[in-house]
Amino acid sequence: MAARIAVVVFPGTNCEHDVAAAVERAGAAASLTWHRDRDLGQADAVVLPGGFAHGDYLRPGALARFSPVMEAVAGFAAGGGPVVGICNGFQILTEAGLLPGALVKNRGLRFVCAPSRVRVDSERSAVTAGVAVGTVLSIPVNHFSGSYVCDARTLAALRDGDQVVLRYLENPNGSVDDIAGVANAAGNVVGLMPHPERAADALLGSTDGLVLLAALLAQAAGVRAA
Amino acid sequence: MTVADGEPLHRSLGLTDGEPLHRSLGLTDGELASVEEVLGRRPNHLELALYAVMWSEHCSYKSSRIHLRRLPTDGPRVLVGPGENAGVIDAGDGIAVAIRIESHNHPSAIEPHQGAATGVGGILRDVFTMGARPLAVMDPLFFGPLDSARQRWLLEGVVGGISAYGNSVGVPTVGGELTFDPCYSGNPLVNVLCLGALPVERLVLGRASGPGNLAVLLGSTTGRDGIGGVSVLASAGFGGEREGAADDAKRPSVQVGDPFEEKRLIEACLALLDAGLVVGIQDLGGAGLACATSETAARGGVGMDVDVSAVPCREPHMAPWEVMTSESQERMLAIVTPAAWPEVAELCRRWEVRATAIGTVTEPEVTPGGPVGRLRVLEGAGGAVLADIPAASLADDAPLYDRPRAAPAGLADRLADDPTGSEPAGDCGAELVALLADPSWAYRQYDHQLFCNTVVGPGGDAALLRLAGPGLPPSERGMAVTTDSAPRWCAIDPRAGTSLVVAEGVANLACVGASPVAVVNCLNFGNPEHSEVMWQLSEAIDGLAEACTAFGLPVIGGNVSLYNESAGTDIDPTPVVGVLGLVDALRARPPGVGLAEGASVVLLGRRSDGGPGHPHPLGGSRWAVEGRGRRGGKLPGLDLAAHRAACELVAALVAEVAGAPPGGTGLGGGDGGDGGDGPMVAVHDVSGGGLGLALAEMAIAGGVGVRARGIAGHAELFTELPSRFVVATHEPGPLVARAEAAGVPAAVLGAAGGRSVVMEGADGSALVDLQLAELAGSWRDALPSRLDAPTEGAGNARG
């Protein structure tokens, strides 16, 4: 049976259909979970998709962390379940304290929607397990607040803990250390600014995002088996 | 029936008591007389305010309607033509496509960020009002030259506003245009087109029916923002520098947008329509509640009672006329049966959308002339009647003007001032570089990928999207859309220029393999009280009608924006044409613009103008207008049949590439056959900037040089003769044979390869010989370098 992926929808989320379609193309079954739900059902993995949850008012992710579903997400993560935040989802995970650091406005103070090349720098994460370090993927970015920041001690800890999952080859936003994605210490919670669901169909120009989604599905299947 | 007298409108508008109220509201003495005739009495203040906004130029099209009737509007695919919130065509596979274009010129001139943002919001509501999910936005923008700090502020603000609203509301911006000309310095143009799709059976129209049904206001609260937007702002020109302070004082007439509210409103309305819970639905745009209530009632042949005290207001003590004419954003009016109301309220609660019953549909009054639905504004349900007017009179009895028309005084001189023979050749390489500009500075700020439909996005000849979206039946088809304009042509000859613009749109669609199916237009013109502006408008409409008729294209919607003037000077006539096309099978990426190493470069279409004039006319070309400041001359001729043949050939060749089953080498590189092995590896139409610019852009896009031979001097390099395409192919023989069989001339110009871009004259001398890297650098830096110019007047003089 296919892995079950819960795609969390906040008011203002807008990438939920794209993520659901991409993970289904990769072989999973996707279901949309409303932000007021306190139960993730039988999910084997959770994705927080991109968009502007609660309008990004106050600060991206600052209100979404208080949505009822986030308690369930935190519980799922604590139990070792794979949780992936893409773009706005990454911002929400940092605001919720499930990932270190923060995402601030891009260098240049403009929105950027463009192709990006990222290098896989860790195999210890829910989206890169089994993907060789050094693999270069072409996956678009689409954000205003995508510049990853953290203090020096956190950065050192991320490096020492092999938690930097993806780095940009051409940094589009001023992120510290070219960071495009990070994981928690256990590797089961991951945030990334590039949108793998936008690189999941040859018709759109790249299928490299399927590499990350396939790894996630494999992790989800592992959770199921355990 | 007694009607309560209006509130002291003079005082709330800050007017002196001596000024006749109707004139301050924008109504003429004659129009006041018409109102009195309709009512059979003097209108009270509230009624006068309602007529003033609804009979404004912006809402009533009183100067243009008489001419718009000449446009062809019927076609086999048309489900909804002009006059509704959006035009709708049947795209096949059970899917309908809705399309609409509008201007937000005046608000953007005053407050660029909010002006452009609310332009996006408004057009989205027009589309989801029809039951369609908005799937794509296009933004044609026009500014003065960027060596002025004000123009840079306007461009930054407008692009930032589109980015902030469009990205957040979750609709991709997939293309547009960026035009700079001094005629827009005092009055920029911000047009916006939206495309949406729906299952055919969900199509709804904005009309009320069923007396006793409820009128439910959805979305945002009603505030004092945007009051008089259609009359104060949109239906008058700007004073320019001298009256800058007066123009700035109009800023409170600009609305403020909230994309998060709109996003929830979209989801709630589409859910209501999916559940079949509404009888009719209408967006609130220009003229706010006055427009939405009267239009839905008039279309349904019924009346409506509106309880003005039930409308949730953003601030206290709002007068009834303010509530009725406010243009506060993110609001919709739904007509709901009393039985469905609890379910509607519950669904809106889930999406956190405010829903308030503010009125009821009423039986039309029986009169000797037939049934008349009345719009009544009440203070509390069953309370005092503040206004009582025939609902249809606000829309249908609006004045209709056939304003005087006359060709501009200097027209003969302008036509005689032809740069074609008289303007000497210069350094073609430098002149080519000056025409290059990469628009990605703007479109990188737009999410152009959401919904994963964008196969060809901004920067291509046309946007090409999968015909897909949440809730739509599956389809292999694609839809394509382009917006085009050429004010430099229309200033010389608005009729021929507008026909050429339609032709350009059809050619752009051909480059992505699409066949055109429908047209929308946004007619941006100056002050209609100037006879030459009315002449330009009338001529442009004729040119639009002629081209659309020749190509078999129905015009399914449009917008007219007048009073685009500053300090008494009108903008050049700027009809913007949006053309919608379809692709039967979209399975692989079309060839694209980029050249490939070793490919032959072929020109499809005529090599020169066959008429009695110069073989390579330059009148109205970017080379002449932007490069040499020559704004006169003669436009190249358009052979409609030859144009159609060339476009159909190119569309068929591209469709063969796009329709091929995916090559399927699987994961990894995954460029899906881009620039594959078919008869065609690249294609670009020859338009502004001519053959020279087309070749340069193809070389830059492909990262490959090119050598073209036997070009008849600067005139052939820069002429904008229509109906022509540059194609790159590895099989020039078969391609030329196919073109000849289709009756389309074809000539091999040279080949792609190397690191330099060379265009040789007939005698073998180099007209252009540039390094590709240099060309690409100029192209990439053109816009950013102008925007980063430090101070006014000190900027890069180029362009």
Side-chain angles (χ1 to χ4, degrees), chain B residues 240-251:
Chain B
E241 298 293 324
R242 281 177 295 114
E243 296 172 41
D247 291 343
D248 285 346
K250 293 176 177 175
R251 200 159 287 147

Side-chain angles (χ1 to χ4, degrees), chain A residues 111-128:
Chain A
F111 194 96
V112 58
C113 177
S116 80
R117 293 191 304 156
V118 290
R119 185 182 61 237
V120 174
D121 274 341
S122 165
E123 280 187 60
R124 280 191 62 258
S125 90
V127 296
T128 53

Side-chain angles (χ1 to χ4, degrees), chain A residues 9-19 21-22 25 33-37 50-57 109-115 140-142 144 172 195 197-199 201-208 210-211 214, chain B residues 133 156 163-164 166-171 257-261 263-264 267 349-352 441 443-455 466 470 586-590 658 662 666-672 787-788:
Chain A
V9 183
F10 302 87
T13 297
N14 60 30
C15 296
E16 70 272 27
H17 299 292
D18 298 351
V19 168
R25 194 172 304 122
T33 300
W34 186 236
H35 79 120
R36 291 195 180 281
D37 293 348
F52 294 74
H54 299 286
D56 272 3
Y57 289 143
L109 300 180
R110 290 196 185 104
F111 194 96
V112 58
C113 177
V141 292
N142 183 71
F144 202 129
H195 285 257
E197 78 279 11
R198 296 186 178 195
D201 187 341
L203 192 54
L204 302 180
S206 171
T207 52
D208 288 358
L210 289 175
V211 172
Chain B
R133 177 178 283 278
E156 292 257 13
S163 168
N167 299 349
S168 176
V169 78
V171 181
D258 179 351
F260 179 50
E261 180 83 44
K263 168 70 174 166
R264 286 177 285 128
E267 300 301 337
R349 230 183 335 269
R350 178 187 196 267
W351 284 105
E352 302 174 18
W441 175 87
Y443 71 69
R444 279 167 61 95
Q445 299 185 54
Y446 305 149
D447 181 349
H448 47 266
Q449 301 170 327
L450 188 68
F451 299 125
C452 294
N453 285 340
T454 311
V455 177
R466 299 189 307 139
L586 181 54
R587 303 188 185 108
R589 294 174 68 72
L667 301 182
D671 59 1
L787 281 163
D788 294 340

Side-chain angles (χ1 to χ4, degrees), chain B residues 374-463:
Chain B
R374 300 199 73 89
L375 174 68
R376 301 195 312 162
V377 179
L378 311 179
E379 179 72 57
V385 179
L386 304 180
D388 182 356
I389 57 183
S393 70
L394 286 174
D396 303 346
D397 293 341
L400 187 59
Y401 295 135
D402 187 1
R403 295 189 187 274
R405 302 186 296 279
L411 186 63
D413 291 344
R414 187 166 200 160
L415 296 178
D417 179 30
D418 199 327
T420 307
S422 64
E423 193 67 27
D427 177 346
C428 290
E431 292 185 309
L432 179 59
V433 167
L435 295 176
L436 283 169
D438 172 13
S440 68
W441 175 87
Y443 71 69
R444 279 167 61 95
Q445 299 185 54
Y446 305 149
D447 181 349
H448 47 266
Q449 301 170 327
L450 188 68
F451 299 125
C452 294
N453 285 340
T454 311
V455 177
V456 177
D461 283 303

